[in-house]
Amino acid sequence: MVRFNRFTLANGLKVLVHEDKTTPMAVVNVLYDVGARDENPNQTGFAHLFEHLMFGGSENIPAYDEPLQRVGGENNAFTSNDITNYYITLPAVNIETAFWLESDRMLNLAFSEKSLDVQRQVVSEEFKQRYLNQPYGDVWLKLRPLVYKKHPYQWATIGKELSHIENAKIEDVKAFFKKHYNPQNAILVVGGDVDTAQVKVLAEKWFEPVPSGEKYHRNLPKEPEQVEERREVVVGKVPLNSLYMAFHAPGRMEKASYPVELLADILSRGNSSRLYQTLLKEKQLFSEIHAYLSGSLDEGMLVIEGKPLETVSIEQAEAAVWEELEKLKTELVQENELMKVKNKTESTLIFTEMSLLEKGMNLAYFELMGDADNLNHETEKYLAVTAEEIREQSRKIFRRENLSTLVYLAEEVAETLVA
Amino acid sequence: MLNRTLAPKFHAIEEFTLIRPQEIQLDNGCKIFYFNSGEQELVRLEWIFNNLNFITSRPLSNIAVNTLLAEGTTSRTAAQIASEIDFYGAFLQVEYGADHSQVTLYTLNKHLKATLAVIKDILINATFPEKELQTYIRNQQQKLQVSLQKNDVVGRRTFNKALYEGTIYGFAPEAEDYAQLKQDDLLLHYEQQYQPANCTLVIAGKVDENVMETISDFFSDWQNRITADFTRPDVNKIAGKLIYIEKPNALQSAVRLGTSTINSKHPDFPGLQVLNTVLGGYFGSRLMANIREDKGYTYGIGSAIVSMKKTGTFFIATEVGAEVCREAIQEIEKEINLLKTVLIPEEELSLVRNYMLGSLLGSLENVFSHADKFKNLYFSNVDYSYYDRYAETVKNITSEELKALANQYFDFDGFVKVIVGKY
């Protein structure tokens, strides 16, 4: 149970307060309702590049990190396809510093050319480090456009290509800020050793003077239903073949996402899961195999990825995966197995409450999805899932015409195949 | 009118309270330390074992025994162990380090007895079935092929090997090491290492009397088996050198450089931590400010000091654009030399002091973190006064003292420098 109080400032900023007196620390989490899905298709990677620029100084404060470190605080941020989330942890006695810093960069950034120059380079290096200079690093750059033909989930948060980041202009940065970074598009969560009354005073002092700006109305293209199987084979400098099977699946906002989360757990959570036990241990076909949901707010995907053993062909590997998927479509999951994945979900949610920062982030995210209080009803929604619902979802999802397969072949293996 | 250019008043962190454990010892020698605190009905238990003396002819024993602990016992298959743990919503982890190996259980209190039964079985009756061993060997060999394509992994392996060849600190498994694993060797290693007299059990969470009684009951009939050798040879310091592993198509080069150094038992260790923080230990550090935030050569760069039983390691690690690798290393050298020649300005030092104290406070998030702090002390053979000295040093160390430490411990020419990529 994560208790909280909630109020809205005159400028539209939603504020949530979670009092936790067991810690001397405080968390200040600011979620902006903007992610890579909101980017122009010709300027991808922008939300993430922008996240970097948020640390380059604001209108009245030349450096963001330095004053925070001076009061014993730490901070970071992440960008996903859906949201951009900034968070600070600091000793609760110094909480006003966080209000000062976060409100000033919501008010206006410094927009320096030097900062843009450097962060373009830093993000280019991040692109190389994570996506280009790693075996299989570019998988998501290839898989997303295979799965999504219309929806902007077709590009990764880092962007489609390096040139989009390299060509970013200061005018574009300013326009992006104006469109997305204002109180109406943000949620502030304050947690830890704080009082709601004190937070209210600080929020009114620092955030309420920030002009409310324009509300951004999202109107993204819907992904049309896939009607035939898609397949792409790439050959690269990787040591082993790798298989990626991506099915369209419900997004996080849909009720069906609960049975589908449990479905993914049955397939792949823990060493007792089906894919691990059957395909890796018993049949000895894979050295690694995982299944997971993308967890996105709009149309999601369920991905099964695995590395077959060197003696196993891609076709054999796919056939073995399908055999497991077919079972889920025909047979009902046994009571014991269903109870197992429910128990795991329940205990995970309880363990998550050990972390103040996670509680703060979760409150912000659930508030974005409609109501932070839903965080406290997650467990019951999972517990209510039936074996029939899981079978129904399996039948909907595990269809050939709902599947995009990416086969990543190791160069040497590919050569022998040609010979 | 609100003046946004003025920072709000702030308070220096004066004190922090560490929760200390209660302690009991079972007749079989197993020491138990427990921390009873926390709101949630859950508990974390860690069974921690000293590693055996490193034998170069069977270098993988420590790792393989630990990793395969839950792969079968005299009465349970690997699949049964996994199902039982998963069914109760618990988490079982095995982990190994250079000095210790451990089994960790996270469970809700209501399932403690059921999950403890599985752990006890693993600790007493593991069998390392041949079939599971072969699966492990094959899959690890495949994973190794992928890891060896990552420049940062190759850099880390090469660096540790250069500093600590022939000891457990420098060991990095090769495919052949996996192939040589034998069930009998693993069983012998298991019997020697996983004994109650070699076990420290650290428990944190909702640990009331009932919980302690349950645990004592469970493990009181656990018997010691045979004598074992837990000695560690001393580590010799290696002269500086450059090791360049060329990867012609690399977009980035992985760089790792540093040296063996003092560990937390040494009185200079807290001061060296302050110096390291200034150099590369936080986001605003000199290395980050220069090489990322000013030059844009990298996504990230940092430095750290790691304390182990017989040694400490100081290292700087980064992945930099292949075309600017040489410049980046020159900048690193420049930053090291600046610490040795120019006093750290008080403005910067006071920021680092506050940052480090805030970090320490922030690292005490929940009862698990208090247990982690205790483990750091206990396994380094230092007592709780260490954190008092640490806080004193962070608050009071002078720029002159830090400059002297830089001259004593940082010698760029004496560093082992590993570059994987282009140079």
Side-chain angles (χ1 to χ4, degrees):
Chain A
M1 183 77 182
V2 184
R3 291 173 211 281
F4 63 92
N5 296 308
R6 182 166 41 191
F7 56 90
T8 305
L9 298 181
N11 58 14
L13 180 68
K14 287 183 190 163
V15 186
L16 283 75
V17 187
H18 166 63
E19 298 177 4
D20 176 357
K21 304 289 179 181
T22 65
T23 166
M25 301 296 286
V27 162
V28 175
N29 188 86
V30 186
L31 182 155
Y32 287 95
D33 183 6
V34 56
R37 63 178 166 166
D38 300 305
E39 291 161 352
N40 174 337
N42 302 313
Q43 282 184 324
T44 63
F46 219 81
H48 169 252
L49 173 65
F50 193 86
E51 174 215 312
H52 280 247
L53 297 171
M54 282 285 277
F55 295 90
S58 52
E59 186 157 10
N60 301 294
I61 310 171
Y64 177 88
D65 290 290
E66 196 247 80
L68 181 64
Q69 287 154 355
R70 190 171 292 286
V71 306
E74 286 186 88
N75 74 94
N76 212 332
F78 63 83
T79 308
S80 73
N81 294 77
D82 292 323
I83 61 165
T84 313
N85 193 65
Y86 300 82
Y87 53 95
I88 293 176
T89 52
L90 79 174
V93 289
N94 291 330
I95 193 162
E96 189 161 4
T97 303
F99 278 85
W100 171 60
L101 288 166
E102 285 301 339
S103 64
D104 203 52
R105 65 179 181 176
M106 190 181 286
L107 185 67
N108 213 352
L109 282 187
F111 300 115
S112 91
E113 286 282 357
K114 161 87 183 170
S115 171
L116 177 58
D117 261 358
V118 169
Q119 293 310 320
R120 266 197 302 244
Q121 282 187 56
V122 169
V123 172
S124 295
E125 292 303 327
E126 182 180 0
F127 201 127
K128 292 180 203 164
Q129 184 173 326
R130 291 191 170 168
Y131 295 83
L132 303 180
N133 212 33
Q134 298 283 340
Y136 317 102
D138 57 354
V139 157
W140 287 99
L141 304 181
K142 296 179 189 302
L143 192 55
R144 283 186 170 278
L146 193 62
V147 175
Y148 294 102
K149 296 300 175 191
K150 286 277 187 294
H151 193 282
Y153 284 161
Q154 64 189 259
W155 56 85
T157 50
I158 196 77
K160 283 182 192 169
E161 47 188 278
L162 272 169
S163 69
H164 284 190
I165 294 154
E166 286 162 356
N167 296 333
K169 303 272 184 308
I170 201 92
E171 306 85 70
D172 306 328
V173 174
K174 285 183 181 167
F176 193 89
F177 181 80
K178 187 161 181 283
K179 186 170 174 190
H180 298 289
Y181 280 75
N182 64 51
Q184 294 202 70
N185 295 321
I187 296 164
L188 169 68
V189 176
V190 182
D193 187 10
V194 297
D195 294 309
T196 304
Q198 164 210 15
V199 171
K200 195 146 194 279
V201 169
L202 289 171
E204 283 166 358
K205 175 176 173 186
W206 292 104
F207 280 97
E208 207 151 53
V210 178
S212 57
E214 279 172 41
K215 175 81 184 157
Y216 164 67
H217 293 286
R218 180 172 286 116
N219 185 17
L220 302 178
K222 272 195 78 68
E223 183 62 23
E225 190 172 334
Q226 186 177 336
V227 288
E228 56 182 9
E229 189 174 355
R230 298 169 190 159
R231 189 177 186 86
E232 189 175 321
V233 179
V234 290
V235 178
K237 285 193 192 324
V238 291
L240 306 166
N241 294 341
S242 197
L243 171 67
Y244 303 83
M245 298 166 71
F247 297 89
H248 290 282
R252 191 72 182 73
M253 310 281 281
E254 291 175 56
K255 192 169 172 284
S257 69
Y258 293 92
V260 178
E261 285 280 356
L262 294 184
L263 171 60
D265 288 351
I266 286 167
L267 281 171
S268 183
R269 186 158 195 195
N271 287 357
S272 69
S273 60
R274 292 190 180 191
L275 294 181
Y276 185 84
Q277 276 303 327
T278 312
L279 303 190
L280 188 143
K281 284 293 193 79
E282 284 165 30
K283 297 190 179 168
Q284 314 224 338
L285 297 171
F286 287 85
S287 65
E288 284 178 61
I289 184 149
H290 306 282
Y292 47 88
L293 264 182
S294 61
S296 52
L297 294 174
D298 297 334
E299 298 98 320
M301 55 179 153
L302 191 157
V303 181
I304 298 170
E305 68 167 87
K307 293 196 175 61
L309 292 184
E310 283 163 296
T311 49
V312 175
S313 73
I314 289 288
E315 291 71 25
Q316 266 176 288
E318 287 179 283
V321 170
W322 270 110
E323 205 176 312
E324 289 306 311
L325 303 182
E326 289 298 336
K327 271 186 220 158
L328 284 161
K329 291 165 68 174
T330 47
E331 300 160 24
L332 283 175
V333 174
Q334 294 287 306
E335 191 48 43
N336 226 26
E337 192 177 14
L338 183 57
M339 183 66 93
K340 177 191 78 173
V341 289
K342 287 179 178 178
N343 284 347
K344 203 92 183 187
T345 302
E346 183 180 18
S347 70
T348 303
L349 286 164
I350 298 173
F351 274 100
T352 305
E353 291 182 16
M354 296 290 282
S355 161
L356 175 62
L357 179 59
E358 289 211 42
K359 284 188 285 186
M361 286 184 183
N362 278 337
L363 284 174
Y365 192 59
F366 277 83
E367 183 68 13
L368 177 75
M369 290 194 290
D371 182 357
D373 191 46
N374 284 333
L375 173 61
N376 293 317
H377 300 285
E378 278 289 273
T379 305
E380 48 201 83
K381 287 178 188 162
Y382 284 108
L383 294 183
V385 171
T386 64
E388 285 77 12
E389 287 174 295
I390 290 179
R391 187 171 64 183
E392 183 196 337
Q393 289 303 321
S394 301
R395 287 173 177 169
K396 273 192 186 156
I397 294 169
F398 300 135
R399 292 175 295 119
R400 297 270 176 185
E401 60 274 24
N402 191 37
L403 168 65
S404 302
T405 305
L406 180 74
V407 177
Y408 213 127
L409 291 180
E411 215 161 51
E412 299 89 296
V413 180
E415 277 160 19
T416 54
L417 282 180
V418 172
Chain B
M1 185 66 190
L2 187 59
N3 185 348
R4 290 183 177 271
T5 61
L6 288 182
K9 279 205 205 91
F10 70 93
H11 310 271
I13 304 308
E14 288 304 330
E15 55 188 48
F16 50 91
T17 314
L18 288 168
I19 305 173
R20 301 185 185 204
Q22 290 175 276
E23 179 182 353
I24 59 168
Q25 183 164 355
L26 302 181
D27 291 340
N28 56 24
C30 177
K31 287 181 280 298
I32 305 179
F33 297 91
Y34 59 102
F35 297 77
N36 179 22
S37 167
E39 312 251 291
Q40 287 77 20
E41 293 281 330
L42 51 81
V43 59
R44 180 183 80 180
L45 302 102
E46 299 169 281
W47 289 263
I48 305 172
F49 300 85
N50 293 306
N51 285 343
L52 296 183
N53 187 18
F54 184 68
I55 304 172
T56 47
S57 60
R58 293 199 295 274
L60 254 176
S61 295
N62 262 313
I63 297 174
V65 166
N66 179 258
T67 312
L68 290 165
L69 275 175
E71 294 297 310
T73 68
T74 46
S75 59
R76 285 177 173 89
T77 63
Q80 285 169 328
I81 293 169
S83 311
E84 278 187 66
I85 293 292
D86 284 342
F87 181 79
Y88 291 109
F91 300 86
L92 164 63
Q93 290 163 1
V94 289
E95 287 169 72
Y96 57 84
D99 292 317
H100 307 98
S101 301
Q102 71 179 73
V103 177
T104 309
L105 173 71
Y106 292 87
T107 181
L108 301 183
N109 285 60
K110 62 181 174 184
H111 299 310
L112 180 64
K113 281 187 183 163
T115 47
L116 274 183
V118 181
I119 302 292
K120 183 178 177 183
D121 198 24
I122 287 169
L123 291 178
I124 299 180
N125 304 313
T127 52
F128 308 93
E130 187 59 35
K131 185 176 175 208
E132 303 295 352
L133 175 59
Q134 292 312 319
T135 303
Y136 169 74
I137 292 172
R138 200 172 43 234
N139 292 348
Q140 290 304 121
Q141 286 175 335
Q142 280 222 9
K143 284 181 188 164
L144 183 64
Q145 287 187 55
V146 178
S147 302
L148 292 179
Q149 299 276 319
K150 298 180 180 174
N151 293 347
D152 60 325
V153 174
V154 175
R156 187 169 61 235
R157 288 166 58 103
T158 309
F159 178 78
N160 289 340
K161 198 166 170 188
L163 283 185
Y164 302 119
E165 176 123 50
T167 77
I168 198 164
Y169 301 123
F171 175 61
E174 303 288 348
E176 307 86 75
D177 295 321
Y178 289 104
Q180 281 168 13
L181 289 171
K182 301 267 182 306
Q183 187 186 26
D184 288 347
D185 293 340
L186 298 185
L187 278 167
L188 178 64
H189 187 106
Y190 170 67
E191 291 187 351
Q192 292 178 324
Q193 188 181 3
Y194 291 83
Q195 308 197 62
N198 186 38
C199 179
T200 307
L201 171 55
V202 181
I203 312 171
K206 197 80 130 195
V207 193
D208 56 20
E209 276 173 26
N210 288 335
V211 168
M212 287 311 296
E213 210 177 290
T214 304
I215 289 165
S216 305
D217 283 355
F218 256 91
F219 290 99
S220 57
D221 63 349
W222 181 16
Q223 301 293 322
N224 287 297
R225 298 187 245 225
I226 35 179
T227 55
D229 175 11
F230 298 104
T231 55
R232 281 268 177 288
D234 288 328
V235 167
N236 299 316
K237 190 150 185 150
I238 296 296
K241 61 178 159 186
L242 177 75
I243 303 171
Y244 173 36
I245 299 173
E246 191 176 359
K247 301 272 178 182
N249 298 315
L251 295 174
Q252 287 188 320
S253 300
V255 175
R256 184 172 281 250
L257 42 90
T259 177
S260 59
T261 189
I262 56 174
N263 62 15
S264 58
K265 277 188 280 236
H266 195 285
D268 284 345
F269 194 76
L272 202 55
Q273 292 279 25
V274 178
L275 187 65
N276 173 67
T277 305
V278 171
L279 176 67
Y282 72 120
F283 192 89
S285 71
R286 291 180 171 197
L287 290 174
M288 279 292 268
N290 178 351
I291 293 164
R292 172 176 146 138
E293 291 297 305
D294 186 55
K295 310 268 182 339
Y297 289 163
T298 181
Y299 177 51
I301 181 165
S303 66
I305 312 168
V306 182
S307 179
M308 293 164 284
K309 212 172 228 173
K310 283 284 183 180
T311 184
T313 306
F314 164 73
F315 68 92
I316 297 167
T318 183
E319 286 169 83
V320 296
E323 66 291 349
V324 292
C325 183
R326 218 167 260 268
E327 288 84 345
I329 291 174
Q330 280 165 6
E331 292 300 322
I332 293 171
E333 180 173 13
K334 202 174 92 188
E335 293 297 345
I336 294 275
N337 289 333
L338 270 177
L339 290 174
K340 296 165 73 168
T341 50
V342 181
L343 290 174
I344 298 166
E346 189 47 44
E347 166 105 354
E348 181 182 1
L349 186 53
S350 73
L351 182 150
V352 168
R353 294 186 207 282
N354 292 342
Y355 169 77
M356 290 181 79
L357 294 169
S359 260
L360 180 62
L361 194 68
S363 71
L364 301 172
E365 181 174 43
N366 54 38
V367 66
F368 297 164
S369 346
H370 285 274
D372 293 340
K373 286 278 178 292
F374 164 75
K375 285 186 297 177
N376 287 344
L377 299 175
Y378 183 76
F379 291 107
S380 309
N381 256 327
V382 291
D383 61 26
Y384 271 92
S385 69
Y386 173 84
Y387 282 108
D388 297 332
R389 274 185 287 123
Y390 176 88
E392 275 314 297
T393 307
V394 171
K395 284 180 197 165
N396 299 318
I397 194 166
T398 65
S399 294
E400 286 76 13
E401 288 167 318
L402 287 167
K403 191 174 138 198
L405 286 176
N407 279 289
Q408 190 176 349
Y409 292 103
F410 292 165
D411 168 22
F412 192 80
D413 294 333
F415 287 171
V416 168
K417 306 170 188 81
V418 175
I419 297 158
V420 184
K422 284 198 250 181
Y423 182 55

